[in-house]
């Protein structure tokens, strides 16, 4: 009985101690955690498990690493407030994914951010047509901030976007959804500048309208 009581009190104390540490480190939403915050949170969680399992070591000694991690995180957060360069070094820098309606593939590659990620996050914000987007910024937390095109037309009723080409790959299922085939798509590409599949980063189809974003040319201009 004493073992159960001791284990329960120990668990309660560890819970309250971790709660205190996180309050000490500052309030941050889960979706806005930086890489540093995430690493510290995971490490504190892992140490807490060891604290509850190790009964042969002094209790203060087992929780001491959690306190050290919290102090390190607070110190780094302080330096981040004082120095923009240090903040970008620790948390990363926001990156513009869509600039004036044009997708920046170089930035996407550097952030290991693919077109499916982009379309998913746009849909989560109620955007089904890429023509509505003027700027899309990938924040250091991984969240996509979108500035809509003020001249973009809002769709009437519910419209479903159909990506037909993603990174040069034809999406045959989506072609079937709209009752078309690959020959129709190739014909449409020919009408829109005689394009090949491997020249297209993304091709969308909504409400009978096409959105085509060409891949950036990798060829360097001649001197």
């Amino acid at each position: 009985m004493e073992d159960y009581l001791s284990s329960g009190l120990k668990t309660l104390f560890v819970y309250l101690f971790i709660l205190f540490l996180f309050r000490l480190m500052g309030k941050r939403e889960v979706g806005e955690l930086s890489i540093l915050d995430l690493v510290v949170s995971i490490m504190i969680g892992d140490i807490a498990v060891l604290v509850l399992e190790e009964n042969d070591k002094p209790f203060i000694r087992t929780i001491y690493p959690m306190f050290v991690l919290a102090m390190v995180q607070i110190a780094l957060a302080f330096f981040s407030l004082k120095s923009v360069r240090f903040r970008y070094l620790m948390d990363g820098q926001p990156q513009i994914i869509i600039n004036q309606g044009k997708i920046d593939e170089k930035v996407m590659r550097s952030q290991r951010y693919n077109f499916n990620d982009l379309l998913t996050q746009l849909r989560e914000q109620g955007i089904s047509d890429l023509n509505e987007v003027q700027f899309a910024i990938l924040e250091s937390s991984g969240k996509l901030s979108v500035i809509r095109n003020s001249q973009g037309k809002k769709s009437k009723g519910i419209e479903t976007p159909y990506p037909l080409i993603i990174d040069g790959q034809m999406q045959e299922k989506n072609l079937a959804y709209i009752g078309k085939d690959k020959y129709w798509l190739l014909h449409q590409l020919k009408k829109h500048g005689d394009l090949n599949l491997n020249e297209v980063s993304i091709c969308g189809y909504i409400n009978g309208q096409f959105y085509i974003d060409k891949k950036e040319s990798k060829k360097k201009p001649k001197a």
Side-chain angles (χ1 to χ4, degrees):
M1 186 66 182
E2 291 182 2
D3 290 340
Y4 285 106
L5 181 61
S6 176
S7 178
L9 290 174
K10 188 176 182 180
T11 302
L12 178 61
F13 181 83
V14 170
Y15 167 75
L16 293 175
F17 183 69
I18 292 176
L19 184 62
F20 166 75
L21 290 180
F22 276 90
R23 290 296 299 271
L24 196 64
M25 289 188 294
K27 296 181 179 179
R28 298 287 292 273
E29 293 183 16
V30 174
E32 295 179 355
L33 291 178
S34 67
I35 294 176
L36 174 63
D37 296 327
L38 185 60
V39 170
V40 170
S41 300
I42 292 172
M43 290 186 69
I44 287 178
D46 288 342
I47 293 172
V49 173
L50 295 176
V51 169
L52 296 175
E53 290 180 347
E54 294 181 352
N55 297 317
D56 56 335
K57 294 182 180 180
F59 187 62
I60 297 298
R61 181 181 174 184
T62 54
I63 66 171
Y64 178 71
M66 289 194 290
F67 182 77
V68 171
L69 281 173
M71 292 302 102
V72 169
Q73 197 275 346
I74 292 171
L76 293 177
F78 174 79
F79 287 122
S80 294
L81 289 173
K82 296 295 182 180
S83 171
V84 175
R85 288 185 179 180
F86 185 79
R87 181 164 64 249
Y88 286 159
L89 176 65
M90 299 305 298
D91 295 341
Q93 189 171 359
Q95 300 288 333
I96 299 176
I97 299 296
I98 300 178
N99 189 346
Q100 297 287 353
K102 179 73 175 85
I103 298 174
D104 193 329
E105 298 170 42
K106 186 181 295 183
V107 172
M108 289 184 68
R109 285 194 294 268
S110 69
Q111 298 299 310
R112 290 166 291 281
Y113 188 79
N114 60 52
F115 290 104
N116 287 326
D117 294 332
L118 176 62
L119 294 174
T120 298
Q121 294 207 42
L122 288 176
R123 286 195 297 270
E124 288 175 351
Q125 300 192 43
I127 298 175
S128 56
D129 187 356
L130 284 169
N131 289 307
E132 297 178 34
V133 181
Q134 185 174 15
F135 293 101
I137 303 168
L138 185 63
E139 307 291 355
S140 56
S141 63
K143 180 180 178 182
L144 189 71
S145 299
V146 178
I147 300 173
R148 294 173 181 260
N149 188 345
S150 59
Q151 298 178 347
K153 297 180 180 179
K154 293 185 178 180
S155 57
K156 298 179 180 179
I158 300 175
E159 297 178 342
T160 304
Y162 293 98
L164 303 182
I165 302 172
I166 297 178
D167 200 16
Q169 298 296 317
M170 188 182 300
Q171 308 299 304
E172 297 187 9
K173 287 185 178 180
N174 288 340
L175 279 170
Y177 287 147
I178 62 174
K180 306 295 183 180
D181 57 23
K182 63 180 182 180
Y183 301 106
W184 173 84
L185 178 58
L186 293 174
H187 179 68
Q188 295 299 320
L189 291 178
K190 189 172 183 178
K191 288 171 59 177
H192 288 78
D194 199 16
L195 299 172
N196 295 320
L197 281 173
N198 55 14
E199 295 180 89
V200 180
S201 61
I202 188 166
C203 170
Y205 184 82
I206 181 171
N207 197 27
Q209 299 295 322
F210 272 95
Y211 174 87
I212 298 177
D213 189 88
K214 294 174 63 177
K215 288 186 178 181
E216 296 174 356
S217 176
K218 297 182 179 179
K219 293 181 180 180
K220 295 182 179 180
K222 295 181 180 180

